[in-house]
Amino acid sequence: MQTPLALLQPAHGAARRPGFIGWLLIAPLIAWLVAFVVIPALILLVYSFCQRDELGELVFSFSLENYWRVFGYVHDESGAFAWDPTYLQIFGRSLGCAGLTTILCVLIGYPVAWTLGRAPDSRRNLLLTLVMIPFWTSFLIRTYAWIIILSENGLLNGLLQYSRLISEPFPMLYTPGAVIVGLVYSYLPFMILPIYGSVEKLDNSIVEAALDLGAGPLQAFLNVILPLTRPGVLAGILLVFIPAMGMFAISDLMGGKRVPLIGNVIQDQFSGQARDWPFGSALGMSVVVLFSIAFWLGTRRQPES
Amino acid sequence: MKTTRHTFLLTLAIAVLALPAMAAPKKKVLNLFCWSEYVPDSVIKGFTKETGIKVNVENYASNEEMLSKLLVAGSKYDLIQPSEYTIEALAKANKLETLDLSRIPNFKNIGAPFKSLPHDPDNKFSVPWMTGSVGIVINTRKVKDEIKGYADVFSGKYKNRIVVLDDNREMVSWALATLGLGVNDITSENLAKVKPILQGWIPQIKVYNSDSPKTPLANGDVDLGIVWSGEAAILIKEHGEKFKYVLPENAHMFIDSLAIPKGAPNADAAHQFIDYILRPEVSKIISENFPYTNPNMEARKLLPEAQLKNTASYPAGDPKLDTFKDIGKVTKEIDKLVTDLKNK
């Protein structure tokens, strides 16, 4: 399995411009991207410079006000600029939350992917299927299942009380921990699969050579295995970090919506109470820019081969 | 031979042109844009069976979501289900058709307290669907103190045991109520007074949930809630005395209604649907599924005793409560205030 990042890398600088057939083959992809990514993004860009009227309809008046608000400069009552980092703090919190999720996914996902990649062929398919089985059920249903497990009258608390480990129900649902559990659960497969792709391609003789030449297991891992599986890890990080940053359903359902994350705030601008599409667009554009920077940082300075 | 072929092609062309018209003999439709979990399937099926009008249903989860989509989609919808303050805003912006009450004879079934309200004083634009209040629901097994109003909920004793509606304007209105101010007294000055109150309340709240605030209450994750009366009514119906509903002082009610957006393509069908749901026996089905306060007095006569005794659905003495008015752009200030406080 090739990882998305590996696909982006030109093969040994032998990249050719695609010929006519090549363009024809990727035309559907380009059309799809233009229709559902480029055009909507341009619409968002235009909206983000507009304002809303009394009823919430768009008013086309070019201003940077929405961006000032995102980055903490707002007009106070006298009309002067005042510093108000509310949305920057929300950005920061969302980054932290997505970052923690990503780290946990790497720590849990890497050993799993390693085991998968090294398993004998006969067992490997079964294990891979096990990783993918959760996708057969709707995401929302899986999240509601977590509510049933974690609530105070729920399965886990019932089990702990029955086994007399605790006497009073322990609040687990609607805590920041529950949000992280939900996020890690949802995105773990997106970490496992690309790392698995790298591990599977790893030539075992290279690892054996390292061990034969006197490297300890830790040294072999850090100096040989990790660099060789790096593309998979990086692809996994992008696949987990970016969606985790925008996720709002889990913090709604499992976190009780107590602390706003950037996804919640944006959703609230579009279909929630705030109904400020221009401001929501400005927040959305800011996220896009942030992701572009993250992507650029993640993909540059790749080893040449 | 040539003529035959020409005739054949001609016939084919006519057939192709006529086909769509023949296949679809102008089937009547109604595009209903309504709240999720508010219009029973059996009501829709009953309407289609009787009139032959096919009903296309699209759902939303808040007045605001409905407004956003309505303003973008233009005249795609025939019938919407806004609450009172949204009706007022839409009427103000000339976005609603005037109803022809002569085609809705069952309008007479609506009780007087639910007619001619401030948001639609001449009953020109809307017909009430269901009404309800916002109040306090208590798990009596866990909460032994007497809870009378919002201030008791947020006394500090129930920190992390509270669910509230995820609705900034609602929260502001509760704080206003504790100050003895009306739910519509929303000025910058009053918001400044509300701020320290909410600042004290917000850290005590465990869950924000507008869609199903009954879930954390039923699961035992919280012991108190400020919720829609219908949610409380379901808890009482399913768990009996374990839950109690308290209508606080200065509580307010909401009137979810039906209205026809300007330029609706099937306004006739919309009128027919409104009249259909106002029939006592149809309205009764709605009440059975969603135990809010039914404004249809004839339907109330058909309801079982147990439901009429459910104090969340039918509070004692039918108190006259305030309703929300449209506040236009101040929404933005409220949103800012609450987002700020939640973020602290």
Side-chain angles (χ1 to χ4, degrees):
Chain A
M1 179 183 150
Q2 279 222 318
T3 62
L5 271 191
L7 288 170
L8 291 171
Q9 303 300 321
H12 295 281
R16 290 186 298 125
R17 296 186 63 89
F20 175 71
I21 300 287
W23 281 115
L24 204 65
L25 289 173
I26 56 172
L29 176 70
I30 293 177
W32 191 87
L33 280 176
V34 169
F36 298 112
V37 180
V38 178
I39 292 177
L42 289 176
I43 294 175
L44 273 192
L45 186 67
V46 173
Y47 277 14
S48 67
F49 297 111
C50 298
Q51 291 293 319
R52 61 161 281 189
D53 72 356
E54 198 91 345
L55 194 62
E57 281 184 294
L58 276 187
V59 180
F60 289 94
S61 60
F62 181 86
S63 94
L64 283 172
E65 182 140 343
N66 294 315
Y67 286 99
W68 288 125
R69 203 171 144 201
V70 173
F71 292 101
Y73 287 100
V74 289
H75 293 287
D76 63 9
E77 278 110 48
S78 60
F81 272 127
W83 172 240
D84 170 22
T86 305
Y87 297 100
L88 285 182
Q89 283 165 356
I90 295 175
F91 254 108
R93 186 182 302 123
S94 308
L95 278 175
C97 198
L100 184 58
T101 303
T102 311
I103 291 170
L104 287 173
C105 280
V106 173
L107 292 180
I108 301 170
Y110 199 100
V112 176
W114 178 263
T115 317
L116 276 176
R118 303 270 111 179
D121 282 343
S122 57
R123 228 182 313 150
R124 192 183 295 168
N125 280 335
L126 174 73
L127 291 173
L128 265 181
T129 314
L130 287 179
V131 174
M132 308 224 234
I133 274 182
F135 291 118
W136 298 358
T137 318
S138 141
F139 161 77
L140 273 181
I141 292 177
R142 283 182 279 138
T143 309
Y144 277 105
W146 273 108
I147 293 179
I148 295 171
I149 294 171
L150 295 181
S151 71
E152 288 191 22
N153 297 345
L155 296 174
L156 191 53
N157 264 309
L159 187 72
L160 290 174
Q161 275 172 293
Y162 180 74
S163 56
R164 305 199 176 233
L165 287 168
I166 53 172
S167 55
E168 284 288 303
F170 182 73
M172 289 183 264
L173 195 59
Y174 308 121
T175 58
V179 177
I180 299 293
V181 167
L183 286 170
V184 170
Y185 165 78
S186 304
Y187 292 122
L188 191 55
F190 296 101
M191 184 63 80
I192 294 176
L193 293 176
I195 299 181
Y196 161 79
S198 286
V199 169
E200 199 202 17
K201 274 192 302 182
L202 184 68
D203 188 347
N204 209 24
S205 55
I206 298 177
V207 183
E208 279 163 14
L211 294 173
D212 286 347
L213 293 172
L218 185 67
Q219 242 181 328
F221 177 75
L222 289 178
N223 294 332
V224 178
I225 298 172
L226 201 54
L228 286 173
T229 50
R230 203 177 101 156
V233 177
L234 280 176
I237 288 174
L238 283 179
L239 286 177
V240 171
F241 184 77
I242 292 177
M245 179 85 186
M247 169 57 83
F248 60 86
I250 287 181
S251 61
D252 270 15
L253 292 169
M254 293 178 67
K257 223 176 176 181
R258 251 161 146 181
V259 280
L261 294 179
I262 198 73
N264 302 101
V265 177
I266 294 178
Q267 188 230 6
D268 205 40
Q269 305 302 321
F270 283 95
S271 62
Q273 280 219 313
R275 243 163 25 83
D276 193 339
W277 287 31
F279 182 55
S281 305
L283 283 167
M285 286 314 294
S286 308
V287 174
V288 168
V289 169
L290 192 81
F291 285 163
S292 309
I293 295 172
F295 189 79
W296 175 70
L297 285 176
T299 49
R300 84 196 168 126
R301 269 198 282 148
Q302 285 280 302
E304 272 303 294
S305 61
Chain B
M1 187 68 195
K2 209 174 176 186
T3 25
T4 333
R5 198 200 283 162
H6 271 149
T7 324
F8 173 71
L9 283 176
L10 197 67
T11 323
L12 193 73
I14 292 170
V16 167
L17 287 174
L19 204 65
M22 278 157 59
K26 276 245 160 177
K27 200 161 186 212
K28 284 206 249 169
V29 292
L30 172 72
N31 300 307
L32 174 63
F33 194 29
C34 58
W35 289 83
S36 48
E37 300 270 312
Y38 216 3
V39 183
D41 275 344
S42 52
V43 167
I44 289 172
K45 278 190 191 128
F47 176 73
T48 305
K49 199 173 164 196
E50 189 176 307
T51 58
I53 297 172
K54 186 175 174 289
V55 183
N56 301 320
V57 182
E58 204 177 309
N59 292 127
Y60 54 83
S62 68
N63 276 297
E64 288 70 23
E65 185 186 344
M66 184 271 290
L67 259 181
S68 294
K69 289 188 180 158
L70 182 72
L71 295 178
V72 173
S75 54
K76 187 179 143 196
Y77 305 111
D78 299 312
L79 199 53
I80 53 174
Q81 206 177 19
S83 307
E84 71 290 339
Y85 65 100
T86 310
I87 295 170
E88 192 187 340
L90 283 168
K92 235 189 249 172
N94 195 22
K95 300 268 182 198
L96 294 178
E97 292 283 350
T98 313
L99 296 178
D100 180 359
L101 284 185
S102 69
R103 286 151 77 191
I104 311 174
N106 286 323
F107 185 65
K108 66 178 191 308
N109 297 341
I110 297 288
F114 307 104
K115 283 182 188 168
S116 311
L117 290 166
H119 64 273
D120 188 8
D122 306 317
N123 304 306
K124 263 167 78 180
F125 301 112
S126 64
V127 167
W129 168 268
M130 278 285 160
T131 73
S133 52
V134 172
I136 302 166
V137 63
I138 300 161
N139 181 339
T140 53
R141 307 244 167 97
K142 297 278 175 68
V143 177
K144 300 295 177 194
D145 301 309
E146 197 183 357
I147 305 286
K148 279 181 168 169
Y150 305 114
D152 299 329
V153 174
F154 295 106
S155 63
K157 211 172 156 186
Y158 306 107
K159 190 171 192 296
N160 265 333
R161 305 303 301 171
I162 302 167
V163 57
V164 300
L165 299 171
D166 181 32
D167 190 309
N168 299 344
R169 176 152 185 206
E170 283 289 347
M171 287 181 61
V172 166
S173 81
W174 309 331
L176 286 169
T178 62
L179 290 168
L181 293 163
V183 290
N184 294 309
D185 293 338
I186 300 171
T187 57
S188 297
E189 257 172 46
N190 287 344
L191 283 181
K193 287 187 208 158
V194 158
K195 191 174 176 179
I197 299 177
L198 289 180
Q199 201 160 13
W201 288 3
I202 283 174
Q204 303 183 37
I205 297 168
K206 187 171 189 186
V207 186
Y208 295 86
N209 190 333
S210 292
D211 303 332
S212 180
K214 61 181 175 297
T215 308
L217 282 156
N219 286 345
D221 289 303
V222 295
D223 303 326
L224 286 148
I226 305 180
V227 304
W228 317 117
S229 57
E231 291 278 309
I234 293 171
L235 283 171
I236 293 169
K237 193 174 152 192
E238 284 171 7
H239 301 269
E241 305 236 306
K242 186 177 167 191
F243 289 103
K244 197 172 100 181
Y245 185 70
V246 177
L247 202 56
E249 263 178 43
N250 295 330
H252 67 96
M253 65 172 177
F254 53 86
I255 319 272
D256 294 328
S257 309
L258 291 174
I260 304 177
K262 201 95 196 168
N266 306 295
D268 283 340
H271 276 91
Q272 264 178 285
F273 188 83
I274 296 175
D275 197 50
Y276 179 78
I277 63 103
L278 286 175
R279 289 183 196 170
E281 63 279 10
V282 177
S283 184
K284 176 184 168 239
I285 302 175
I286 304 170
S287 263
E288 278 167 353
N289 283 278
F290 306 104
Y292 285 88
T293 313
N294 198 329
N296 189 319
M297 293 305 170
E298 293 303 311
R300 279 197 201 184
K301 290 178 188 162
L302 304 177
L303 291 177
E305 191 71 1
Q307 195 179 349
L308 291 171
K309 279 203 171 139
N310 192 325
T311 49
S313 306
Y314 299 98
D318 254 330
K320 180 106 178 97
L321 303 173
D322 272 346
T323 51
F324 277 2
K325 293 191 63 97
D326 173 45
I327 48 169
K329 266 195 167 168
V330 196
T331 325
K332 201 168 167 177
E333 268 183 67
I334 292 182
D335 179 60
K336 170 112 190 50
L337 175 81
V338 180
T339 310
D340 265 4
L341 290 174
K342 277 191 192 174
N343 200 38
K344 290 278 147 62

